[in-house]
Amino acid sequence: MEIHIDLTGTRGHRDAIYRQLRAAILAGRIRPGEALPPTRELAQRLAVSRTTVSAAYDRLAAEGFLAARVGAGTFVTAAPVSAEPVPAGPGVRPLPEWDAVPPPPAPFAPAPEFDFRPGVPDLSLFPFDTWRRLITQRLRAGQAGLMTYGDPQGHPALRAEIARHAGVSRDVRAGAAQVVVTAGAQQTTDLVARVLLRTGDLAAVEDPGYPPPRLVLGARGVRVAPVPVDASGIVVDAIPAGTRLVYVTPSHQYPLGLSMSLDRRLELLDWAERNDAVLVEDDYDTEFRYTGRPLEPLHSLDSRGRVVYVGSFSKVLSPALRLGFLIAPPTLVPALVKARYLTDWHAPNVEQAALAAFMAEGGFARHVRRMRKVYRGRHELLSAVLARDFADFLTPLPSTAGLHLSALAPADCGGLVRAARRRGVRLYSLGDFGVGERRHGLVFGYGAVAAERIEPGLARLRALADEGVA
């Protein structure tokens, strides 16, 4: 049979012959049972060595496309597979729960000119030299154990440092045995849901609130109820009957920035005990508190094993590390470790060991103190500019911690946010965080924007607002 093979401009003749023959078989241009030209004949026609053609035939035979018959020749054995999609077939579809999950946010490349995204730290101040030294030390001879499979619960030294840090900074009374190292709040929510909730169970989240946990729960087939937040925190009386899990940010509510009152914390703990529910307490950025001492976390007030305490290093150090932790009641730890093992086994060993050393030698505490001072200055500057230039438009909400500041507006800010993004100012509408009754306003992050960029960025935003795009 006549086979068209084009070697013009190709360097690897063997691979080119293999690819073109394979494509012809899969497309049905060479049908099952048809014989290929003898290797000597095809080699002469293509002006290549017989060895080159034989190697291409051998590879196709090894992959099941060809079979050699002694004394008869080489024949096609594979059936054609159409390279074109079949329009009549529906194809494989995911579970309906995934239709409600938005696509992941696209990476910002290049970074926006004025980056007011919330929850993003200043990576230019990351301790690169120290981190490079710690990573290098972990990779030296004698640390080979870090290059194999690790403990699903987390590196023992890191768990010990996390327990010590949480105890000193937040009065969280727990030992290393109660710590599980995770990739952050989203994975913690997923792990807790895996070990406690079944499809169709009910969970509650703050409204407005941090979207990923709500999406994680919904994707697992859990029914998610948005619960309103008032000046004291989540409205406990509005939590639906039958709720098995409540996700809350009591120390610095996301995105409103308020702190849950002590009375509301005690009320929530009593509710959890009466309803046999678990509270997932995300204490995500309390390292950066600028006035006073934060109220005790739910975990410190909990005497009945109802709270899973969640922390993360993403906003303190870098999101790229993908390191966080949970502190769970002893009754939950074995199941959570099993769930972590089945999910992705463990966090990266080298980074865990480096972070443990960073904390043990005091570098983490020094970095937190340094960044707290930096972020306090940006928080004060942002607040002052908003009060001076946006008093007719925005009402900032009280906030004394974290990496963002929210402000209420009289009307929807979606149009202003979209216009600002087109003009290099990246920020979010408060409505993006709501599920039920959406509040109007803006959310300003100040972790990723340098102090000298705050006023110019807000000036551009003010000009857009004056143009009436809001």
Side-chain angles (χ1 to χ4, degrees):
M1 66 178 297
E2 185 70 24
I3 299 176
H4 175 71
I5 295 177
D6 184 8
L7 300 182
T8 304
T10 62
R11 293 185 178 181
H13 292 162
R14 179 191 61 186
D15 290 341
I17 295 169
Y18 158 79
R19 288 194 304 271
Q20 293 181 46
L21 286 175
R22 183 179 183 274
I25 294 170
L26 289 175
R29 296 193 297 272
I30 308 175
R31 294 184 292 274
E34 288 189 320
L36 294 186
T39 54
R40 186 186 303 278
E41 175 188 326
L42 185 57
Q44 290 175 346
R45 178 148 54 89
L46 297 176
V48 299
S49 71
R50 184 182 179 187
T51 301
T52 298
V53 176
S54 296
Y57 279 21
D58 289 344
R59 183 175 176 184
L60 289 165
E63 294 177 0
F65 290 95
L66 304 178
R69 301 176 192 169
V70 177
T74 302
F75 297 83
V76 175
T77 59
V81 177
S82 174
E84 299 297 324
V86 182
V92 179
R93 291 285 301 160
L95 294 172
E97 292 87 350
W98 289 95
D99 292 335
V101 179
F108 296 97
E113 186 178 357
F114 301 101
D115 195 349
F116 290 101
R117 285 175 295 157
V120 181
D122 190 337
L123 299 180
S124 70
L125 299 178
F126 181 84
F128 288 102
D129 291 340
T130 300
W131 191 253
R132 187 181 303 110
R133 170 179 61 81
L134 293 170
I135 290 290
T136 301
Q137 289 174 349
R138 307 284 89 70
L139 292 174
R140 286 176 180 167
Q143 298 284 333
L146 296 175
M147 302 304 291
T148 186
Y149 295 110
D151 185 346
Q153 189 168 355
H155 192 283
L158 179 56
R159 289 192 287 112
E161 289 298 328
I162 289 171
R164 185 182 64 82
H165 170 72
V168 171
S169 66
R170 297 294 285 125
D171 196 29
V172 173
R173 297 178 292 275
Q178 291 176 246
V179 177
V180 179
V181 178
T182 70
Q186 290 163 241
Q187 186 178 55
T188 294
T189 306
D190 183 69
L191 295 177
V192 174
R194 285 174 184 268
V195 304
L196 287 179
L197 304 182
R198 294 185 173 90
T199 299
D201 279 350
L202 185 62
V205 297
E206 298 168 320
D207 185 25
Y210 185 47
R214 170 174 54 83
L215 298 173
V216 167
L217 293 166
R220 294 199 56 79
V222 175
R223 294 180 295 130
V224 184
V227 179
V229 176
D230 63 18
S232 296
I234 191 169
V235 179
V236 176
D237 290 343
I239 300 175
T243 297
R244 299 277 295 117
L245 178 151
V246 182
Y247 181 94
V248 289
T249 53
S251 296
H252 186 227
Q253 202 278 334
Y254 192 92
L256 299 180
L258 55 87
S259 294
M260 187 182 295
S261 68
L262 178 59
D263 288 345
R264 188 65 58 84
R265 293 172 192 236
L266 296 174
E267 182 185 359
L268 182 58
L269 287 167
D270 288 341
W271 176 92
E273 178 66 17
R274 292 195 312 272
N275 291 274
D276 190 25
V278 64
L279 306 177
V280 178
E281 177 184 19
D282 189 350
D283 209 22
Y284 66 99
D285 64 359
T286 51
E287 287 87 358
F288 304 128
R289 189 166 187 89
Y290 310 124
T291 60
R293 178 175 174 80
L295 292 172
E296 285 186 293
L298 290 170
H299 188 282
S300 298
L301 299 170
D302 177 29
S303 60
R304 292 164 286 194
R306 291 289 171 188
V307 178
V308 176
Y309 181 88
V310 183
S312 172
F313 296 100
S314 294
K315 296 172 181 62
V316 182
L317 292 174
S318 167
L321 294 179
R322 304 313 308 145
L323 288 175
F325 62 91
L326 64 85
I327 297 176
T331 51
L332 282 184
V333 171
L336 289 168
V337 173
K338 294 174 186 176
R340 178 72 207 261
Y341 167 67
L342 294 179
T343 302
D344 63 348
W345 201 318
H346 61 86
N349 289 328
V350 175
E351 285 81 352
Q352 287 190 82
L355 180 54
F358 187 52
M359 297 177 77
E361 66 183 33
F364 180 76
R366 287 192 296 272
H367 182 71
V368 167
R369 289 195 297 270
R370 177 192 184 197
M371 299 311 298
R372 185 185 296 125
K373 182 177 180 181
V374 169
Y375 295 143
R376 179 191 292 118
R378 297 180 188 178
H379 177 276
E380 292 172 352
L381 176 59
L382 176 63
S383 300
V385 176
L386 290 178
R388 184 189 69 202
D389 298 340
F390 289 81
D392 62 324
F393 172 44
L394 296 175
T395 304
L397 293 170
S399 177
T400 58
L403 297 179
H404 76 274
L405 178 66
S406 295
L408 298 178
D412 178 63
C413 294
L416 176 60
V417 167
R418 290 188 291 273
R421 291 178 181 178
R422 292 193 295 269
R423 294 286 301 275
V425 182
R426 184 76 182 184
L427 74 164
Y428 285 92
S429 167
L430 191 56
D432 293 338
F433 301 91
V435 180
E437 183 180 356
R438 305 202 172 200
R439 307 192 191 194
H440 302 318
L442 295 172
V443 180
F444 298 88
Y446 46 82
V449 60
E452 62 270 17
R453 306 290 290 165
I454 290 177
E455 289 196 71
L458 292 180
R460 186 173 297 180
L461 181 68
R462 178 74 247 192
L464 288 169
D466 291 341
E467 292 173 11
V469 296

